Amino acid sequence: MEKLLIHKSGPLQGTVAIHGAKNAALPIVAACLLGDEPSIIENVPQVTDVLLMSEILRHLGATVDFSGDRLTVSPNGYAGTVAPYELVSRMRASICVLGPLLARQGKAQVSMPGGCVIGPRPVDLHLKGLQAMGATFSIEHGYIVGTANELRGAKIHLGGSFGSSVLATTNVMSAAAIADGVTVIEHAACEPEVVDLANFLIAMGARIEGHGSPVIRIEGVERLHGVRYRIIPDRIEAGTWMTATAILGGDLTIEGALADHLGAVIDKLCETTMAIDKLNGSLRVRRSRDPIRAVDVTTLPFPGFPTDLQAPMMALMARARGVSVLTERVYPERFMHIAELNRMGASITREGTSAIVKGVDRLSGAPVTAPDLRASAALVLAGLTAENQTEVGGVEHLDRGYQDFENELVRLGADIRRITAEERPDAALAFNVERDTGEER
Ligand code: EPZ
C-alpha cells in the first residue's frame, strides 16, 4: 500500500500532454476479440485498468503485447469464455467482454460485478440489450452465464432510470457489429468514448451509423479484420488538469485536450472566473487574480457535465467564494469524498443527491483515504492547496486511471512524494501519531 505525501504548491505553469482515454481504451481493447486478425491500438494509457483488461484477454487465450502506448491484441482463435472473479472484482469495466464473447463464441461467463463505492452499478441494461438480440442469461455461482446460438439484429431501447448507459451501449454495439441483420439502439449513450469504439469497429469493417447521437444503427457483417487505431485523448484527464489549474492558480497549456469533448467543463470553469483559450489541438487555462466564484453543477450524460469530474470540482468549490450545489444525476451515491474533504476543513453537507459546499478560506492537511479513482485526484488537488502536510492513502485508485499524474505535478513544481506503507511520513506527522498512541508521554 502506497501513500502520497503532499504539501501546499502552485501555481501551475507550463504544459502537460494528455494520454489516451482509459474509458475509450477499455471497450476497444475488449472489441479486439471480435476480429479475425491482430489489431494494434495506439495512444493507450499505461494505467492498471488497461493492464487488467489485457490480463482478461490473455486469460481468454488471446496474446496481448503492451509496450509504451501501443497495445497489440492477437486473438489467435482464442477459445476461452470465462472472465473470472479475481479479475472482474478488481475492475467493473471487465463487463466490456460480455458482448464480444457472446457474438464471437456464442457463450460467455463473466463474474457478476459486485458493489462499488460510487453506488449501485447494475448490469440490467447490458443483459436487456443482448437478450433482445437472442442471448439468454442466468446467474450461476456469482457469474453471468450467457449463451447465444445466433445473435440477430433488433430494435433496443437502452434508457434506464439514470439515463443512457455507456458500457451497455458499447456492449450491444460490439455484439451487433457481427450479428445477423440490423440493430437499432435507441437512447444510446453519446459519450465520445462510444463514438471512438464505433470508429474503431468501422475501421475493422463494421457498418455503423448515428454514433454520437441517441440512435445508433448497426448492420451486422460476416467478419471484422484487424486494424491499427489511435485512441482519442482522455477528456477526464484534461478536465482534471483544468480543475487543478483553477485550484492552484497558474497558466497551463493542456496539449491534446479537445474543446468539443469538454464544452460543459469549459463553460462551468469560465463561470468561476477562469480564462480558457481554445488553441489548435490544446487548451490554455489561466486563473486570474480574482477569487474562484462558487457555481452550481449538475452532472449529466454527455454533453452534460461529466460525473467523473464531480469530485475534482468539489475540491475546487471547497475553496471557492460562496456556496455551491453539486448535484449527481448519473451516480446519486457518488459522494464518499465529502467526508474526506471535510477532514481537511472543507464545509460540505450532503442533501439527497446534492452536496452543498460552502467555500472556506483555508484547508488544513490531514491523513485521508481515496475511496475511488476520481476522488483520489480530488484529494490530491485539495492537499496541494492545504496548509501543512496531507497524506493521501488509497493511491491504487489513482493508478487505475491517471498515468504519471503525480510525476507531471512534480515536473510542474508541486511538492508531492510517493511513499510505501513502511516508510514513515515526515516528522510532523510521526509526532502526531506518537502523541495519539501515548508514546510521547
Ligand atoms: C462508464 O461507466 C465509465 N466507465 C465511468 O467512468 C463513468 O462514470 C460512467 O460511464 C458514466 O459516464 C468506463 O467507461 C469504463 P453507465 P458505466 O452504465 O458504463 C445506471 C471512471 O471513473 N445503469 O453509463 O458502467 C448506472 O447505475 C468511471 O473512469 C443501470 O441502471 O456507467 C448509472 O446510474 C467510473 N443499468 C447510469 O446508469 C445498467 O445496466 C450510468 O452508468 C447500467 C447502468
Side-chain angles (χ1 to χ4, degrees):
M1 298 287 273
E2 296 175 326
K3 291 180 175 182
L4 292 174
L5 295 189
I6 300 170
H7 292 94
K8 194 168 183 172
S9 305
L12 295 179
Q13 306 279 359
T15 301
V16 282
I18 298 306
H19 300 91
K22 166 190 81 94
N23 288 348
L26 293 171
I28 286 176
V29 171
C32 291
L33 293 172
L34 293 166
D36 292 341
E37 298 158 343
S39 285
I40 300 170
I41 321 293
E42 293 170 340
N43 204 28
V44 180
Q46 283 271 0
V47 293
T48 48
D49 274 11
V50 175
L51 296 172
L52 271 172
M53 184 58 81
S54 307
E55 268 317 296
I56 291 175
L57 264 57
R58 288 191 189 106
H59 182 88
L60 292 166
T63 302
V64 182
D65 177 61
F66 191 10
S67 54
D69 72 348
R70 179 182 294 187
L71 191 147
T72 305
V73 180
S74 309
N76 295 338
Y78 71 96
T81 57
V82 181
Y85 177 73
E86 304 78 73
L87 296 172
V88 176
S89 61
R90 289 161 66 193
M91 180 183 68
R92 289 190 52 93
S94 317
I95 193 80
C96 289
V97 297
L98 184 65
L101 280 179
L102 272 174
R104 200 58 214 269
Q105 307 285 50
K107 50 185 176 178
Q109 289 185 51
V110 179
S111 178
M112 182 88 169
C116 171
V117 289
I118 70 175
R121 296 183 69 183
V123 292
D124 56 308
L125 295 172
H126 300 247
L127 305 189
K128 175 185 168 184
L130 295 165
Q131 261 163 351
M133 299 174 70
T136 55
F137 292 101
S138 58
I139 305 296
E140 287 172 33
H141 311 296
Y143 279 75
I144 302 166
V145 180
T147 48
N149 292 335
E150 180 196 36
L151 285 179
R152 296 176 306 279
K155 189 170 181 181
I156 303 164
H157 186 86
L158 269 191
S161 315
F162 297 100
S164 54
S165 163
V166 174
L167 293 184
T169 303
T170 61
N171 250 330
V172 172
M173 188 163 66
S174 297
I178 55 169
D180 192 15
V182 173
T183 299
V184 176
I185 307 176
E186 290 178 345
H187 211 139
C190 302
E191 270 68 5
E193 295 76 17
V194 174
V195 175
D196 210 29
L197 172 67
N199 287 334
F200 170 71
L201 292 169
I202 290 168
M204 293 176 93
R207 295 193 188 134
I208 303 176
E209 292 169 4
H211 40 297
S213 84
V215 182
I216 304 178
R217 183 181 185 279
I218 307 125
E219 187 182 335
V221 296
E222 285 274 310
R223 62 175 292 266
L224 296 175
H225 53 79
V227 285
R228 180 186 284 253
Y229 189 81
R230 191 171 175 80
I231 301 273
I232 55 169
D234 194 318
R235 66 192 167 103
I236 305 302
E237 184 191 7
T240 305
W241 282 112
M242 292 165 79
T243 316
T245 315
I247 294 178
L248 303 178
D251 182 345
L252 192 67
T253 298
I254 305 172
E255 286 177 354
L258 298 177
D260 286 352
H261 292 178
L262 288 157
V265 181
I266 292 172
D267 188 55
K268 274 296 154 195
L269 288 177
C270 286
E271 259 186 65
T272 69
T273 72
M274 294 293 291
I276 300 175
D277 300 317
K278 299 173 190 176
L279 310 175
N280 194 12
S282 63
L283 289 175
R284 182 178 174 198
V285 184
R286 280 168 296 150
R287 175 164 158 193
S288 68
R289 286 177 185 278
D290 302 332
I292 286 291
R293 194 183 296 148
V295 294
D296 295 342
V297 178
T298 300
T299 68
L300 288 167
F302 188 83
F305 192 94
T307 174
D308 293 344
L309 288 174
Q310 181 252 106
M313 195 67 181
M314 193 180 292
L316 173 62
M317 289 301 108
R319 290 292 318 278
R321 177 168 292 179
V323 178
S324 56
V325 181
L326 306 189
T327 303
E328 251 303 333
R329 287 272 164 74
V330 179
Y331 287 113
E333 301 294 325
R334 196 174 199 175
F335 286 122
M336 297 287 281
H337 40 283
I338 291 179
E340 301 302 307
L341 288 169
N342 282 345
R343 298 196 73 242
M344 300 175 72
S347 175
I348 308 171
T349 49
R350 181 174 166 189
E351 286 187 16
T353 58
S354 294
I356 318 297
V357 188
K358 288 186 193 145
V360 294
D361 287 340
R362 60 182 281 276
L363 294 177
S364 73
V368 289
T369 304
D372 72 83
L373 165 57
R374 306 305 170 184
S376 67
L379 292 174
V380 168
L381 298 182
L384 288 169
T385 184
E387 308 292 340
N388 299 325
Q389 179 169 279
T390 298
E391 187 187 319
V392 178
V395 181
E396 64 279 8
H397 292 297
L398 191 72
D399 299 336
R400 285 186 41 216
Y402 289 99
Q403 180 175 341
D404 290 337
F405 190 56
E406 88 226 35
N407 294 336
E408 289 291 307
L409 279 166
V410 168
R411 194 179 57 76
L412 294 167
D415 184 348
I416 174 166
R417 184 164 68 92
R418 189 177 284 234
I419 58 163
T420 58
E422 295 73 44
E423 277 178 75
R424 301 226 43 202
D426 78 5
L429 262 184
F431 177 67
N432 288 340
V433 171
E434 280 161 8
R435 279 171 61 96
D436 288 343
T437 55
E439 285 172 34
E440 278 281 296
R441 278 169 259 156

